[in-house]
Amino acid sequence: MTDMHVSNHDQMGDCLQGLRVIDLTRNLPGPFATRLLADLGADVLKIEPKQGDPARVFGELFVALNHGKTTEKYDFHDPKAIEAIKAHLKEADVMLDSFRPGVLAEMGLDAKTLHAINPKLVIVSITGYGVAGNYVKEGNYVKEGNYVKEGNYVKEGIYLEDADSKNGSQVNHDWANKAGHDINFMAMSGVLDQLRTAQGEQAMPNIQFADLAGGSDTAVIALLAAVFAAQRTGRGRHIAISMTHSLYNHMVMPKVTGKLINSLSGDGLNDTLLPQHDFLGGALPCYRLYQTADQRHMAVGSLELKFWQGLCEVLELPSLKEIHWQLGIMPNRPESEAATNTIAEKFASQTLEYWQLVFSVTDVCVTPVLSLHEARAHPLFAHQDEHHATSGWQQVN
């Protein structure tokens, strides 16, 4: 049996052996997606324009994203180069791109063209806002704006739902061709507004949640599902990943907790709630950040009653054991607010190092907030590779 604490990319490097991936993407979302596929054993051919992937200027970042991939460069405006790319695609299982809608068709790499030479090909386009349009059935054709579809293909290379499809008729916006970056996708999804300080100030994250969670991870999930289907049916498909919509889909908690906490607190069914007052946004004394004496923070996640009561024992605050939401003490109650203040004073009395030692021998869901440097040096990440990467999976048998 494999040691469950040992993790390296080779443990599951045989899972996708034989999967042939053509990667036309650049920068972060697509290359990170194909990084995951490569770590699982896929054969990835990265095709760059003559001037190269813009991410090359970041040096170590480019290497971390693209090591182990085969790289070729082509002039995308040269018909001979496009034919060379098609030759690769004829034998491929997957193609990923990150162009705006319509660009693949301009290059001669639209879905209709590619499926004519490789019916099983799965095409994944990572976009900022997805694709949309009003579909009007006219005989055997479906129109989307100025584009005409016959069968399952549309001229500009993006799959549309059938004209009678309920889902297809519901997707209607004019954002498909807009440019954007992670900050824009986070802003439009509503996620950025959720990231606020305890004082309600807007926070500016330096982690690319839309690119990575909304783009890379979502693309890999959809891609593998489509490959599985293609193996059974012999038919590929073209999938458009919307980083904005995917990120919006991740907000399962904020969509319901505002109404929930207001109803439990007796404030009616209004679902409007400031993020910093939300159920898991800092309103509960058992689930929030507390500042230490040296201006650092401890993360308290003692959400369940047993962990909360264990925390109170460690902090020598037994009188707070019954002040918990599972016992009916909601965040707007004076007892709850008083508990928050008492615990804040307790944590503020000692340094982060002190509390780190105290909670290292307990199991009540309390951890220090580590810096990137501290996390990199922590035993938890001792198995990271030379690119400071650790896979999120471990083979245990």
Side-chain angles (χ1 to χ4, degrees):
M1 178 175 174
T2 303
D3 186 343
M4 66 183 300
H5 296 293
V6 176
S7 174
N8 59 62
H9 301 311
D10 294 335
Q11 288 182 336
M12 292 181 63
D14 60 342
C15 293
L16 296 182
Q17 280 184 358
L19 185 73
R20 294 157 297 187
V21 179
I22 306 299
D23 183 6
L24 302 181
T25 67
R26 309 169 196 175
N27 294 315
L28 180 59
F32 188 80
T34 54
R35 166 81 274 130
L36 297 175
L37 297 175
D39 289 342
L40 290 168
D43 180 8
V44 179
L45 170 60
K46 179 178 177 62
I47 295 180
E48 302 179 57
K50 280 294 185 181
Q51 65 271 29
D53 185 333
R56 282 185 176 274
V57 301
F58 292 103
E60 289 185 16
L61 171 64
F62 180 84
V63 174
L65 291 172
N66 297 293
H67 67 88
K69 303 175 185 177
T70 303
T71 301
E72 295 182 4
K73 291 184 179 181
Y74 291 99
D75 179 357
F76 289 169
H77 299 288
D78 182 353
K80 291 182 179 180
I82 297 301
E83 289 305 313
I85 294 173
K86 286 181 181 178
H88 286 304
L89 291 169
K90 186 176 181 179
E91 305 299 327
D93 299 294
V94 178
M95 182 187 84
L96 290 93
D97 80 275
S98 53
F99 303 122
R100 294 199 211 186
V103 172
L104 285 179
E106 294 173 2
M107 296 172 63
L109 299 176
D110 56 277
K112 184 175 183 179
T113 299
L114 296 182
H115 284 146
I117 62 176
N118 184 352
K120 294 178 66 174
L121 183 67
V122 171
I123 305 167
V124 178
S125 296
I126 301 178
T127 76
Y129 303 105
V131 296
N134 291 317
Y135 311 151
V136 181
K137 192 170 184 179
E138 297 178 356
N140 294 324
Y141 296 85
V142 175
K143 281 189 176 180
E144 183 197 23
N146 294 323
Y147 300 120
V148 180
K149 169 193 171 189
E150 180 177 14
N152 286 326
Y153 303 102
V154 64
K155 277 188 177 180
E156 44 77 82
I158 295 174
Y159 269 120
L160 301 179
E161 301 284 348
D162 291 337
D164 295 330
S165 167
K166 178 180 177 182
N167 290 333
S169 63
Q170 289 179 338
V171 182
N172 184 23
H173 58 74
D174 60 357
W175 283 74
N177 288 298
K178 291 184 180 294
H181 281 291
D182 184 88
I183 189 173
N184 308 115
F185 311 141
M186 289 186 66
M188 291 304 297
S189 68
V191 168
L192 191 56
D193 182 67
Q194 295 293 315
L195 303 179
R196 293 184 175 272
T197 68
Q199 292 72 40
E201 297 174 349
Q202 179 69 62
M204 173 66 191
N206 71 331
I207 305 299
Q208 292 69 44
F209 295 108
D211 285 353
L212 299 173
S216 308
D217 294 348
T218 303
V220 169
I221 294 169
L223 176 156
L224 293 178
V227 168
F228 180 67
Q231 291 174 340
R232 290 181 291 113
T233 66
R235 298 192 305 273
R237 66 188 72 199
H238 187 183
I239 306 165
I241 302 298
S242 168
M243 290 182 274
T244 302
H245 289 86
S246 179
L247 207 55
Y248 177 79
N249 198 42
H250 279 73
M251 292 204 298
V252 289
M253 288 292 287
K255 289 174 184 175
V256 299
T257 51
K259 184 178 294 184
L260 171 66
I261 199 168
N262 280 334
S263 65
L264 293 176
S265 301
D267 292 335
L269 297 178
N270 181 12
D271 60 359
T272 300
L273 193 69
L274 294 175
Q276 67 272 23
H277 296 158
D278 202 353
F279 198 67
L280 300 182
L284 294 171
C286 63
Y287 200 92
R288 58 177 291 135
L289 300 175
Y290 288 97
Q291 192 173 79
T292 59
D294 51 350
Q295 310 303 304
R296 299 290 300 277
H297 289 86
M298 295 292 291
V300 172
S302 308
L303 189 61
E304 294 83 358
L305 180 61
K306 64 178 181 179
F307 293 128
W308 168 252
Q309 294 185 335
L311 170 65
C312 293
E313 290 179 4
V314 173
L315 296 180
E316 299 180 344
L317 297 171
S319 63
L320 301 183
K321 281 188 173 184
E322 305 304 310
I323 311 300
H324 193 265
W325 67 276
Q326 287 184 322
L327 297 178
I329 308 299
M330 291 296 107
N332 66 334
R333 295 272 294 272
E335 307 98 298
S336 181
E337 295 175 0
T340 297
N341 293 333
T342 299
I343 293 179
E345 291 174 1
K346 192 75 172 183
F347 275 110
S349 68
Q350 300 288 347
T351 65
L352 180 132
E353 183 180 11
Y354 172 87
W355 291 120
Q356 191 169 2
L357 288 172
V358 168
F359 286 100
S360 66
V361 293
T362 67
D363 191 23
V364 293
C365 304
V366 178
T367 54
V369 176
L370 299 181
S371 67
L372 176 58
H373 175 75
E374 290 167 335
R376 183 177 292 174
H378 195 279
L380 189 62
F381 303 101
H383 57 284
Q384 63 192 293
D385 64 18
E386 66 271 27
H387 305 289
H388 303 296
T390 59
S391 58
W393 50 76
Q394 293 172 283
Q395 183 171 308
V396 296
N397 57 39

